[in-house]
Amino acid sequence: MTSLRDLAELVRLPAALTAPGDVFSGAAAAGALRGWRPAALAASSACLYWAGMALNDYADRDLDAVERPERPIPSGRVTPATALRLAGGLTATGIALAAASGRRPLATAIPLAGAVWAYDLLAKPTPAGPLVMGSARFLNVLLGASTAPRGRRSGLPAALAVGTHVTAVTALSRGEVHGSSPATARAALSVTAAVTATVAASSLRSGRPPARLAAAGCAAGYAASVGRAQAAAVRSPDAGTVRRATRSGIHGLVPLQAALLAGRGAVAAAAALLAAGPALRAGAKLVSPT
C-alpha cells in the first residue's frame, strides 16, 4: 500500500523549497512583494514543481527499473497510474492558485505547466531538454512578477539569471549515471561565473548599502558553493563528482535567489530564504536517505 512517505519521496517534497524562491525573486524585481498574491503564487509554483517530479518518475519508470530500482515506482511502492494522477492533480491545483491571483498570473502559469509536462514527456532525452527545463524556471520567476503594474518585463533580468543557471545545471546533470565531459562541466562553471557577475553588478545599481552588501555576500556564497563543485567536475567528470555538482547546483538556487532578493532591498526575505537552505538539505535526507 502506498504511504504518504512514498508519495513525499516521489515528488521530492522538500526540494520544492527552491521553487517559491523563484516567485519571490520575480515579485521583488517587479516591486510586487506585498500582499497575499506572492504567497499564493509560491504555493502554485510548489504544486507545479511537485507535479513535475511525479511526472519525471512516471516517464522514467522503465529506465529507473535498471538504474535506480529503489525509487518509488520501480520498487512497487507507487503505481505508474498513481504517479500520473498525482501529477495531473497537482498541475490543476497549481493553475487554480495562479488563476485566483489574476489573469496575468494564469497566463504565465499555463505555459509554465506546459513546459513542465513537455520536459518530462518529450524533451528530457533530447538536446533541447536543458533549455526546456531552464525555460520552466524562467517562467517560474516571471510568475512572481506577473501581478506587478509594470507586468512581467520588470522580472526579466532575474528570470534570465535563474533560467540560465538551471539550464547549465540540467545539462551537467545528464552525466549523473555515466559521467560527463570536461567541456560540459567547464561550460556550467562559465555560466556560474557569468550569472554571479551579472547579479553582483545589478545589485550595485539598486538598493541601499546594507542591501547591496547582503546581495554581494549571497552572490559570493552562490559562486563558492556551486563553482567549487563544478570545478571538481571539470577536473574529474565521473558520475559521482557530477552528481555532487548537480546537487550543489540545485542547492545553489537558494543563495542565488537570496542575492536577487537582497539586491532589490528585500533583505529580510533573503535571510528567510537562506534559513530554509538547511531545512532543504535535512528534509531531502529524511525523505530519501539514498
Side-chain angles (χ1 to χ4, degrees):
M1 182 176 178
T2 300
S3 68
L4 290 177
R5 184 187 177 92
D6 295 330
L7 295 178
E9 183 179 342
L10 177 74
V11 300
R12 322 293 199 273
L13 189 71
L17 288 172
T18 66
D22 289 347
V23 171
F24 295 139
S25 298
L33 196 59
R34 292 183 180 180
W36 60 272
R37 286 185 175 85
L41 293 176
S44 168
S45 172
C47 287
L48 293 175
Y49 185 98
W50 287 325
M53 292 296 98
L55 196 61
N56 172 81
D57 280 18
Y58 170 81
D60 283 356
R61 60 193 185 279
D62 293 333
L63 180 63
D64 284 345
V66 177
E67 296 182 347
R68 297 182 176 94
E70 73 282 357
R71 283 189 168 177
I73 294 179
S75 67
R77 290 178 287 132
V78 177
T79 67
T82 296
L84 188 59
R85 285 195 297 268
L86 183 61
L90 287 166
T91 299
T93 301
I95 291 176
L97 286 167
S101 301
R103 287 179 295 178
R104 283 183 297 185
L106 176 61
T108 307
I110 289 174
L112 170 56
V116 169
W117 282 70
Y119 175 78
D120 284 323
L121 297 183
L122 298 172
K124 182 164 50 178
T126 74
L131 188 59
V132 175
M133 174 60 81
S135 70
R137 297 304 289 239
F138 173 89
L139 288 167
N140 203 31
V141 177
L142 291 187
L143 183 64
S146 61
T147 62
R150 293 175 292 172
R152 292 169 294 188
R153 185 175 301 177
S154 52
L156 282 175
L160 284 170
V162 172
T164 303
H165 166 79
V166 170
T167 299
V169 171
T170 305
L172 182 59
S173 73
R174 292 185 162 199
E176 286 187 296
V177 175
H178 302 295
S180 186
S181 68
T184 301
R186 194 175 297 113
L189 181 59
S190 298
V191 167
T192 297
V195 168
T196 302
T198 301
V199 171
S202 176
S203 68
L204 292 176
R205 297 192 295 267
S206 61
R208 297 177 179 178
R212 291 198 294 267
L213 183 61
C218 291
Y222 159 75
S225 61
V226 178
R228 186 184 301 114
Q230 291 174 342
V234 171
R235 294 190 298 270
S236 178
D238 58 274
T241 307
V242 169
R243 279 196 298 272
R244 288 189 289 274
T246 301
R247 193 179 306 118
S248 294
I250 294 170
H251 292 163
L253 273 167
V254 174
L256 173 58
Q257 294 159 346
L260 293 167
L261 282 163
R264 290 293 176 175
V267 177
L273 196 61
L274 289 173
L280 166 62
R281 290 186 288 272
K285 292 179 181 178
L286 181 65
V287 170
S288 182
T290 56

